[in-house]
Amino acid sequence: MKIKIITIHSIPNFGSVFQSYALCRYLKSRGFKDTELIDYEPPYFKTRTLRAFAGKMLNFKSYCKRKRKFRAFVEKNIPITGRKFSSLQELESYDFKADVYIAGGDQLWNVYHDCGKDDTYKLTFAHGKKISYATSLGQTDFTDLQLTELAEKLKTFSSVSVREASSVKMLESKGINALQCVDPVYLLPENEYEKFVKPVNQPKYMMVYLVTPSPLLERCIKYLSEKYSLKVILCSGFSKKCTCDQFLKDLGPDEILSYIKNAEIILSSSFHATSFSLIFKKQFFTILPDEHTNERIVDILNIRGLSDRIITENSDIKNSLDRMIDYSVLSDYDIQVRASKEYLERALEE
């Protein structure tokens, strides 16, 4: 069986890279050896704002170094098509000769982002069986028209699974039967990621990743770093978003994973930083990014019984940040992982 997957894999975001790796790796481990990502990189992935362009130019050396690291990791660890595509029209005119097409992972159907408005990620170009795996809608603020248009395109799918419980309900309201599945990174055991982890030559530290500047963020950093005597390491983007002792701008995906694994505490607004904190059984806290992308983070923390990891303006900072996770009594996730694996097997075999 020839399987082609379309997802977001080529941007410098470690979560996008590892969820792409995980889905391919899992399918190959289940005997679907002819599995490959479609190398799709639309123009809207490139820098478009003046501020972003200026940031890139001011940090050009770090930008190039980071880009090389991400590209090298993808080329070494993820099977991708030999040809790169940049538009829906190019994909429509190409015959992949695939038996199954999978749209999976990240916020592919979130209309707040450009990818959510791109029919490529609804597999409108595909001639063959179409399924989705843990595709994220990311939010609940869809208009009735937006949901109707999405549902119309999903009618050509033989099986649909999404990331969030709220997405299941929204699609069901439009006549689409959907199952909630775990993010691809949970399909693999922890030791599958350990092989990418490198030693980190740092004193005890707190990692801050993918955050938006705010007084709340600063209060959290100050309290945690002082209470636990931790160095503060910021790893995200090219603009300094908070007080820190060290700002690392050029890390590759495996290096970011290593910094999560070796941290004492992770403070982030990232779904995948939160997910790998859970996988590695780390202490972490999450400040939600914004109302348009929160659903997947809220969902995973509710399922695991960890909604208290979310820090808001209304939180009692001292009491909230003093509570550490006891992983020995944490709500199990095995049932959801098994159900997701069964969905994939069933969807591919039917």
Side-chain angles (χ1 to χ4, degrees):
M1 181 186 292
K2 182 180 286 189
I3 299 173
K4 298 295 181 187
I5 301 169
I6 193 152
T7 187
I8 298 174
H9 69 284
S10 61
I11 62 173
N13 178 292
F14 96 104
S16 297
V17 168
F18 275 109
Q19 64 90 22
S20 300
Y21 165 80
L23 185 53
C24 285
R25 178 72 172 170
Y26 177 73
L27 289 173
K28 284 178 174 288
S29 75
R30 300 302 299 165
F32 301 103
K33 301 299 184 184
D34 199 349
T35 296
E36 195 175 51
L37 283 187
I38 295 173
D39 196 2
Y40 177 58
E41 191 172 334
Y44 56 78
F45 280 178
K46 294 180 172 60
T47 299
R48 292 185 296 171
T49 66
L50 182 60
R51 181 179 177 181
F53 181 77
K56 184 191 293 186
M57 291 300 101
L58 288 171
N59 299 277
F60 192 67
K61 185 177 179 181
S62 294
Y63 168 80
C64 291
K65 192 173 181 180
R66 185 185 69 174
K67 186 175 181 179
R68 284 196 302 271
K69 288 178 179 179
F70 269 83
R71 186 191 301 122
F73 185 92
V74 170
E75 290 176 354
K76 181 179 179 180
N77 297 290
I78 303 176
I80 57 176
T81 55
R83 175 175 170 178
K84 185 183 288 291
F85 302 86
S86 61
S87 70
L88 176 60
Q89 292 70 32
E90 287 180 2
L91 290 162
E92 287 173 335
S93 63
Y94 189 84
D95 184 6
F96 290 97
K97 296 181 171 62
D99 302 295
V100 181
Y101 294 85
I102 301 177
D106 276 321
Q107 303 203 57
L108 300 190
W109 298 341
N110 186 348
V111 292
Y112 179 70
H113 299 297
D114 288 329
C115 58
K117 303 164 192 168
D118 187 346
D119 279 351
T120 302
Y121 294 114
K122 284 94 172 177
L123 297 176
T124 58
F125 67 90
H127 301 286
K129 183 176 182 177
K130 299 187 242 183
I131 70 173
S132 70
Y133 180 74
T135 306
S136 176
L137 276 69
Q139 60 166 329
T140 56
D141 293 339
F142 282 72
T143 66
D144 186 69
L145 177 60
Q146 287 169 336
L147 268 182
T148 300
E149 290 177 344
L150 174 59
E152 192 61 33
K153 284 155 187 159
L154 296 186
K155 286 178 180 177
T156 61
F157 282 56
S158 61
S159 300
V160 175
S161 82
V162 289
R163 184 89 54 82
E164 311 90 0
S166 59
S167 299
V168 171
K169 293 177 181 177
M170 287 192 294
L171 291 178
E172 283 180 346
S173 74
K174 294 299 178 181
I176 300 296
N177 291 322
L179 181 73
Q180 183 182 12
C181 284
V182 303
D183 183 273
V185 298
Y186 292 104
L187 295 174
L188 301 179
E190 180 181 350
N191 61 16
E192 278 283 355
Y193 302 111
E194 293 278 3
K195 64 189 179 186
F196 297 116
V197 173
K198 305 171 182 177
V200 172
N201 185 24
Q202 296 280 6
K204 290 171 63 174
Y205 65 90
M206 172 174 64
M207 177 185 180
V208 182
Y209 179 76
L210 209 64
V211 289
T212 301
S214 71
L216 174 63
L217 173 64
E218 292 292 344
R219 291 200 301 274
C220 290
I221 290 172
K222 178 176 171 59
Y223 184 83
L224 289 168
S225 61
E226 290 180 355
K227 179 177 176 62
Y228 298 105
S229 301
L230 300 175
K231 180 179 180 179
V232 180
I233 297 180
L234 173 65
C235 311
S236 61
F238 297 119
S239 61
K240 189 176 179 181
K241 299 181 175 68
C242 62
T243 301
C244 64
D245 298 301
Q246 191 172 1
F247 181 18
L248 304 176
K249 304 177 184 180
D250 60 6
L251 299 183
D254 50 345
E255 292 173 310
I256 295 172
L257 196 71
S258 301
Y259 269 88
I260 291 174
K261 172 67 175 177
N262 290 289
E264 299 297 316
I265 294 174
I266 297 95
L267 178 62
S268 82
S269 298
S270 159
F271 173 82
H272 282 105
T274 299
S275 291
F276 278 106
S277 297
L278 286 164
I279 289 169
F280 290 142
K281 298 180 175 61
K282 307 300 296 185
Q283 299 299 329
F284 70 91
F285 298 95
T286 300
I287 298 176
L288 296 176
D290 62 64
E291 61 182 343
H292 299 291
T293 58
N294 288 341
E295 283 298 309
R296 57 189 185 152
I297 299 175
V298 172
D299 214 61
I300 183 65
L301 293 180
N302 282 339
I303 291 171
R304 302 302 301 276
L306 289 172
S307 56
D308 64 344
R309 296 294 96 187
I310 299 173
I311 308 301
T312 70
E313 289 290 350
N314 296 323
S315 299
D316 180 333
I317 294 293
K318 182 178 184 303
N319 287 335
S320 297
L321 299 183
D322 278 348
R323 291 197 295 269
M324 294 290 110
I325 303 168
D326 182 354
Y327 278 94
S328 68
V329 298
L330 188 62
S331 299
D332 199 353
Y333 204 41
D334 289 348
I335 293 173
Q336 288 85 353
V337 173
R338 283 198 302 271
S340 300
K341 291 177 178 180
E342 289 168 4
Y343 162 83
L344 258 180
E345 298 277 352
R346 187 169 60 251
L348 292 170
E349 289 172 1
E350 285 178 353

